């Protein structure tokens, strides 16, 4: 029976399977179906495909019908539900000195939230701007999320101000990229620094405030990164910490279902946040890296190779989006939507990147990532030397062969 089908049939079947599979995946993620409901949905899709084949519809007609069905479904399900009121709801936001945190604190305060905003420096420009522009509802707290004592003090201060009221939202925004470069060149202190803030610090904050969130049946909204799901070159330390964070949040999401606490993760595209556009900071980090690398390792890679990576990152950071509104709007949706999503893509290109990662072969998706971030032109010095040696050796062998041919003649 198998040999009766031609190549166009299998191409048609593949396209149909990818189309329906992708549609079902989106519907399941959007609808938050349980495991049993998911199984039923997939079985239904399988029966649908089998029945459509039985009708022997032409490929174009069948795909057109499926496309029309999907468009109708999307138009119905994409209609935004009215957001919940912000008044009377309290939200705790980490990392509000600058970037997403500061912009989110200002926006949520303007909506009517009671905002608790943490900063590293109470006398810094970010803290002063929040005090100057926000309402008296906003409370500033000096918190380094890697310091358990400061986290506990912030919890006590928040409890004292909330009274018997629980906490509606926790926005885990604080994060750091200590340095970036090839994994072998990244110092162990870089790995530990990223993990301390991005994973352990966020873990500590989340665990500490969970009783207040459970009391209010509230929301946890975490700003993560596509680097936690995709192997971006030169982001091994940062990406590893975000991967740990993503897995923890996914686990927590399942565990908190009985408590009525909903967990969302936001995956932004590239934005000018924190130290990303601070040239002096990255120059200092680069100098420290050069001084800390073992001489033999620096010789193998070359100082010019390390410097090129730094320059490429500067170029990437300069071209990043300065408009935070897609991320801020997404955070607001996750906090106030009656049915918040598990994952939000904030910014252009993120959904497309995940589509390529999910449906394309690894070889293609890896090339896409390499072209997307830092486009290296230099090879490590040791490989350049080896390549030059090989070229010299080939040239020498060719000359010897030519001489031998002359002697034979």
């Amino acid at each position: 029976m198998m040999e009766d089908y031609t190549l166009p049939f299998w191409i048609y079947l593949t396209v149909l399977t990818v189309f329906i599979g992708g549609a079902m995946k989106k519907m399941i993620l959007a609808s938050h179906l349980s495991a049993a409901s998911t199984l039923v949905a997939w079985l239904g899709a399988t029966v649908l495909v089998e029945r459509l084949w039985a009708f022997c519809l032409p490929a174009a007609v069948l795909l057109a019908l499926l496309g029309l069905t999907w468009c109708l479904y999307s138009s119905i399900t994409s209609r935004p539900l009215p957001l919940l009121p912000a008044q009377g709801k309290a939200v705790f936001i980490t990392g509000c000195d600058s970037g997403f945190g500061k912009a989110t604190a200002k926006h949520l305060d303007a909506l009517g939230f009671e905002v608790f905003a943490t900063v590293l420096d109470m006398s810094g420009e970010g803290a002063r701007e929040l005090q100057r522009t926000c309402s008296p509802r906003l409370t500033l707290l000096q918190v380094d999320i890697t310091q358990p004592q400061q986290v506990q003090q912030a919890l006590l201060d928040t409890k004292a101000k909330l009274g018997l009221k629980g906490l509606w939202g926790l926005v885990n925004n604080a994060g750091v990229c200590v340095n970036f470069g090839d994994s072998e060149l990244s110092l162990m202190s870089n790995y530990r620094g990223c993990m301390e803030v991005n994973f352990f610090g966020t873990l500590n904050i989340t665990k500490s405030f969970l009783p207040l969130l459970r009391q209010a049946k509230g929301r946890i909204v975490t700003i993560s990164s596509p680097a936690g799901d995709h192997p971006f070159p030169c982001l091994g330390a940062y990406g590893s910490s975000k991967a740990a964070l993503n897995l923890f949040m996914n686990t927590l999401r399942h565990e908190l279902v009985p408590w009525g606490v909903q967990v969302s993760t936001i995956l932004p595209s590239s934005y000018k946040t924190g130290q990303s556009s601070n040239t002096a900071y990255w120059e200092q980090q680069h100098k420290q890296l050069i001084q800390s690398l073992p001489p033999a390792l620096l010789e193998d890679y070359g100082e010019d190779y390390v410097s090129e990576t730094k320059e490429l990152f500067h170029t990437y950071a300069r071209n990043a989006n300065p408009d935070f509104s897609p991320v801020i709007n997404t955070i607001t949706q996750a906090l106030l939507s009656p049915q918040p999503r598990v994952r939000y893509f904030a910014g252009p290109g993120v959904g497309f990147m995940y589509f390529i990662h999910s449906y394309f072969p690894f070889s293609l998706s890896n090339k896409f990532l390499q072209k997307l971030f830092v486009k290296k032109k230099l090879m490590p010095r040791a490989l350049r030397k080896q390549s030059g040696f090989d070229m010299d050796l080939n040239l020498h062998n060719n000359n010897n062969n030519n001489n031998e041919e002359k002697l034979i003649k």
Side-chain angles (χ1 to χ4, degrees), residues 270-273 275-279 282-283 308 310-322 373:
S270 176
Y271 290 91
K272 286 186 179 179
T273 60
Q275 301 284 7
S276 64
S277 56
N278 187 341
T279 304
W282 290 106
E283 289 291 344
E308 184 202 34
K310 177 202 68 175
E311 293 303 325
L312 287 170
F313 177 75
H314 283 172
T315 302
Y316 186 80
R318 280 195 296 269
N319 296 327
N321 191 352
F373 188 45

Side-chain angles (χ1 to χ4, degrees), residues 218-295:
R219 310 280 174 87
I220 299 174
V221 180
T222 301
I223 314 299
S224 186
S225 168
D229 295 318
H230 301 83
F232 281 99
C234 298
L235 284 179
Y238 177 75
S240 297
S241 65
K242 290 296 188 177
L245 179 63
N246 289 348
L247 182 60
F248 171 68
M249 287 300 162
N250 283 332
T251 303
L252 197 63
R253 175 168 52 84
H254 291 292
E255 295 172 347
L256 293 179
V257 168
W259 295 95
V261 176
Q262 304 197 59
V263 180
S264 298
T265 301
I266 294 177
L267 302 157
S269 57
S270 176
Y271 290 91
K272 286 186 179 179
T273 60
Q275 301 284 7
S276 64
S277 56
N278 187 341
T279 304
Y281 171 81
W282 290 106
E283 289 291 344
Q284 179 188 1
Q285 292 292 312
H286 174 72
K287 184 178 179 181
Q288 180 184 349
L289 175 64
I290 294 294
Q291 293 173 347
S292 303
L293 286 175

Side-chain angles (χ1 to χ4, degrees), residues 3-72:
E3 53 271 14
D4 293 340
Y5 297 107
T6 62
L7 180 60
F9 169 86
W10 292 114
I11 295 174
Y12 181 28
L13 181 60
T14 302
V15 171
L16 188 65
T17 303
V18 170
F19 183 88
I20 292 186
M24 290 300 302
K25 181 179 179 181
K26 286 186 177 182
M27 285 190 284
I28 289 166
L29 289 175
S31 305
H32 306 287
L33 298 178
S34 64
S37 301
T38 302
L39 178 60
V40 171
W42 277 111
L43 289 175
T46 304
V47 173
L48 173 63
V49 172
E50 191 273 333
R51 288 295 90 197
L52 289 172
W53 279 117
F55 284 116
C56 298
L57 293 175
V61 175
L62 180 55
L63 289 177
L65 288 173
L66 288 172
L68 179 60
T69 303
W70 174 245
C71 288
L72 289 173

Side-chain angles (χ1 to χ4, degrees), residues 191-226:
Y191 287 96
R192 292 192 178 98
C194 286
M195 289 298 293
E196 278 298 325
V197 178
N198 300 340
F199 179 66
F200 288 113
T202 304
L203 169 64
N204 188 22
I205 281 280
T206 305
K207 283 174 61 66
S208 298
F209 282 82
L210 261 176
L212 292 179
L213 290 161
R214 288 190 286 103
Q215 180 183 342
K217 297 186 184 299
R219 310 280 174 87
I220 299 174
V221 180
T222 301
I223 314 299
S224 186
S225 168

Side-chain angles (χ1 to χ4, degrees), residues 300-361:
D300 281 346
Y301 278 88
E303 190 168 336
D304 56 348
Y305 178 88
V306 182
S307 297
E308 184 202 34
T309 306
K310 177 202 68 175
E311 293 303 325
L312 287 170
F313 177 75
H314 283 172
T315 302
Y316 186 80
R318 280 195 296 269
N319 296 327
N321 191 352
D323 178 18
F324 298 156
S325 57
V327 179
I328 309 310
N329 293 337
T330 301
I331 293 172
T332 306
Q333 285 285 332
L335 286 171
L336 293 179
S337 173
Q339 297 178 343
R341 299 179 193 170
V342 171
R343 278 189 161 194
Y344 289 88
F345 299 143
V350 183
F352 179 66
M353 179 173 58
Y354 272 83
F355 174 79
I356 288 181
H357 180 72
S358 300
Y359 294 108
F360 281 60

Side-chain angles (χ1 to χ4, degrees), residues 70-88:
W70 174 245
C71 288
L72 289 173
Y73 172 81
S74 299
S75 65
I76 294 172
T77 57
S78 62
R79 293 173 186 168
L81 295 172
L83 296 180
L84 301 173
Q87 284 70 22

